[in-house]
Structure formats: C-alpha cells, structure tokens
Amino acid sequence: MCTCITLKTKDCYFGRNLDLESTFGEKVIVTPKNYEFTLRHNEKMKTKYAMIGMGTVVDDYPLYADSGNEKGLCMAGLYFPGNAVYFEEKENVMNIASFELIPWCLGNFSSIAELREELNKINITNQTFHENMPVVDLHWMISDKKECIVLEQTKNGLQIYDNPYGILTNNPPFYYHDIHMNNYMNISAKFPTNTFSEDISLQPYGQGIGMMGLPGDVTPTSRFVRAAFYKFNSITDEDEESSISQFFHVLDSVSMIKGSVITKENHYDMTTYSSCMNASKGIYYFKTYYNNQINAVSLNEKNKSGDKLEIYELPQKQHIQYMN
C-alpha cells in the first residue's frame, strides 16, 4: 500500500507515502558517484551519478525504496502483489535483479529519454538479495523534469507506460488505473450548477459539492483518483516552502491512519513515512508517522563525491514547538 506523486511549480518534486504495518529500519541514504555495486548477473558497476533516498543498508549495499539522482531522475518501487512476475536469467538481455533496478537506473542514466531504450533490453530476475530476504513484488514509477513512466513486469513480460498523471499506487496494473480515471471526469473543484433537470430547482447546500463522488477509501484505485484530483487542482506559490508544504498536503490526502485498515494477518497498516524530493536541487524532505516535522537532507559536492555511503537516522519522536 503506497502512493507516489510528482508535482511541478518552479522546480520539480517527486515523492511518496510508504504504507506498511511497521517500519523496516529505513534511513535516508546518500550514495556517492563512482560507488561500486556488485550485480548478481553482470560485472561490477560504478555509478556515474550520486543519489539520495530512503531505504535500508545491508553489507554496504543501499536497498532503496525511493530515490533520486543528482541529475533529477527519480524512481520509487511500490507494492504490486500477485501481478509482478520476475523471471529466471535469460540470454542476450540485460538481467537485473529487482533490488538492483533503482541503483542501476539512477546510477547510470540522467533522464528518461536516455533510460527508455535500455529498459527495453532488460529482464527483471527473481534473484534474492539474501536467503532470509524474500523477493518483493513491485512495480516502479520513474520521473524526470520532462516526463513520467511506469515500469511493470507481469506474466506478459515487461511493460513501459507513459504516465501523464504522475501518480502511482498499487494493484491493478497501470492500464486499469488509466481507464478507471475516466469514471471521474465529472468531478470538479468548482461551485456546481444544476445539470440534473431544468424542471427541478436544485441548489448546492454547501461547499465542495462538485467533488461529490470522489472516492474516500484507501484502496489503490481510490487513492490514485484522489491523489490525481488534489494534485491537478492544487494551487500553490512557487517558492520552496510553499511547494513542499503543498506536496505533503497532497500526500496527506491519501495517507493511512493506524487502525483504519486491518490486514488479513490482523496488523494495522499506516503511512510509516512520506517523502518529497526537490529533483531540481537534490534536496530530500521527509516526515514519519510519529514525527510529522519536515526534515531535509541535501546532495552536496562533499557527499556526491565521497567514497562511502552517508546514512541518516529518521527522527521518530514527535517534535512540538511549545509557544509558552
């Protein structure tokens, strides 16, 4: 259960809600350029570009949930259970394990235009990172300053979709979300007029009636529609503070409150963290379920050219500014 969005004001922003029943030890990780990755099916890879994002580190290997590189290319993996299919290694293609996909894309490419042709040559494999770490079913949203795409590998093979919404949630596959959006073309932020009948006098009894029918549940299809509505109808100034504030407000509209969704295993899903990356400036903002203060880590010349990972723990205790 996750939601990923983009937003453009003066700069370009990319981020997500990550929804789980518990945290997974996530931290903000900066990977410098020229960092060496050992790929499961290929030779070692040194990154061309530095990247920053949220994930965990195992044996000096950053396992990113979402990240962006110094050129403004951003990527996030979202849960795609039952539909994601990873294959065995194949010949005459670029075999990439699912956990390698984010560092491979962001470490080697500066834009979607540059990446797109190479994506058509890859096979996402079912190789595990560790025997105690099972493969996670994912699909990915990738964005830069000009365009956005969705990458899904199903039983039918690898699919690359143009994503004009700049939105992604979970199941069903992206093509369904695209079709499903047509059901809400009547939703409007504007004060409504009576189109029911000229013979009946109907008057709005309150604000927001044009939004009647906008889904309010937290299913993936409903979050997709709701995030798109708030994104495309959001009005904000173009300065940094206004932009990131508005970005988090859009994410808040589809966040999960602990206790509102109980899983089959009797766990409580919640939005463990929300992120917002200024892809134009390389600043990664985030807040957590238990600390909704906005925090930030920047890519800078020092950490972009370092020789080791830079790791930042997430503050989990609520920060309150007492005024008296």
Side-chain angles (χ1 to χ4, degrees):
M1 301 287 282
C2 302
T3 306
C4 187
I5 70 171
T6 61
L7 185 69
K8 289 185 179 180
T9 58
K10 181 180 179 180
D11 290 336
C12 299
Y13 299 86
F14 177 97
R16 57 99 59 84
N17 286 340
L18 191 135
D19 307 324
L20 284 173
E21 65 267 15
S22 62
T23 62
F24 59 93
E26 61 267 31
K27 300 171 177 62
V28 177
I29 310 163
V30 177
T31 302
K33 53 189 173 185
N34 296 317
Y35 193 79
E36 188 172 83
F37 285 84
T38 300
L39 302 179
R40 291 297 193 269
H41 308 285
N42 303 279
E43 297 179 356
K44 292 183 177 181
M45 176 193 84
K46 281 194 174 183
T47 59
K48 296 178 183 177
Y49 307 112
M51 64 192 86
I52 184 172
M54 193 74 75
T56 58
V57 177
V58 181
D59 297 330
D60 293 324
Y61 196 110
L63 298 167
Y64 282 112
D66 59 271
S67 184
N69 71 16
E70 60 182 293
K71 296 297 183 179
L73 185 65
C74 300
M75 187 170 180
L78 288 82
Y79 195 37
F80 194 42
N83 280 305
V85 176
Y86 306 140
F87 301 119
E88 297 289 338
E89 186 175 2
K90 297 181 179 180
E91 294 183 354
N92 302 318
V93 296
M94 179 68 176
N95 292 288
I96 301 287
S98 59
F99 60 85
E100 298 172 335
L101 195 57
I102 289 180
W104 181 78
C105 289
L106 301 188
N108 289 311
F109 302 97
S110 63
S111 67
I112 290 175
E114 187 182 335
L115 171 64
R116 192 188 289 266
E117 185 175 343
E118 297 304 316
L119 286 176
N120 288 312
K121 303 174 184 177
I122 71 168
N123 169 51
I124 305 173
T125 73
N126 56 11
Q127 179 75 41
T128 59
F129 180 80
H130 190 278
E131 61 181 7
N132 295 326
M133 300 173 66
V135 174
V136 180
D137 291 348
L138 298 173
H139 59 174
W140 294 266
M141 188 167 100
I142 311 172
S143 177
D144 64 14
K145 300 169 186 177
K146 294 183 178 180
E147 56 183 323
C148 182
I149 60 174
V150 170
L151 185 67
E152 295 179 345
Q153 186 170 283
T154 67
K155 63 182 180 180
N156 298 319
L158 189 68
Q159 308 293 325
I160 303 171
Y161 300 98
D162 290 325
N163 183 356
Y165 310 102
I167 303 287
L168 187 63
T169 55
N170 313 102
N171 287 330
F174 181 77
Y175 72 83
Y176 179 92
H177 290 289
D178 193 22
I179 296 170
H180 184 244
M181 282 292 294
N182 292 289
N183 293 327
Y184 300 92
M185 62 194 309
N186 64 306
I187 302 295
S188 174
K190 296 179 180 178
F191 195 79
T193 57
N194 176 20
T195 59
F196 187 87
S197 173
E198 294 179 355
D199 299 327
I200 302 175
S201 178
L202 299 176
Q203 298 293 327
Y205 53 81
Q207 300 295 335
I209 291 181
M211 294 168 57
M212 193 74 74
L214 186 70
D217 60 82
V218 295
T219 59
T221 50
S222 294
R223 283 184 284 111
F224 192 106
V225 174
R226 198 160 66 254
F229 177 84
Y230 283 116
K231 169 188 169 174
F232 286 105
N233 288 283
S234 67
I235 303 295
T236 182
D237 294 332
E238 294 191 339
D239 63 280
E240 184 74 349
E241 290 77 14
S242 298
S243 298
I244 62 172
S245 177
Q246 191 76 336
F247 192 99
F248 280 114
H249 281 308
V250 175
L251 285 180
D252 286 344
S253 74
V254 289
S255 67
M256 301 186 67
I257 298 170
K258 187 175 182 179
S260 63
V261 175
I262 303 174
T263 68
K264 184 171 64 175
E265 296 77 18
N266 211 34
H267 297 147
Y268 302 111
D269 270 350
M270 62 180 180
T271 298
T272 60
Y273 76 84
S274 302
S275 66
C276 167
M277 179 165 176
N278 183 325
S280 305
K281 293 185 171 67
I283 307 172
Y284 188 87
Y285 300 93
F286 67 94
K287 61 179 184 174
T288 69
Y289 190 86
Y290 295 108
N291 178 5
N292 49 21
Q293 172 183 275
I294 297 173
N295 305 275
V297 180
S298 298
L299 277 176
N300 53 52
E301 291 307 315
K302 182 179 179 181
N303 59 27
K304 283 194 293 188
S305 57
D307 58 1
K308 60 179 64 176
L309 300 176
E310 202 168 83
I311 302 169
Y312 297 84
E313 298 283 344
L314 273 57
Q316 294 289 355
K317 186 176 181 181
Q318 186 67 275
H319 175 78
I320 301 173
Q321 180 177 344
Y322 291 95
M323 303 297 293
N324 60 12

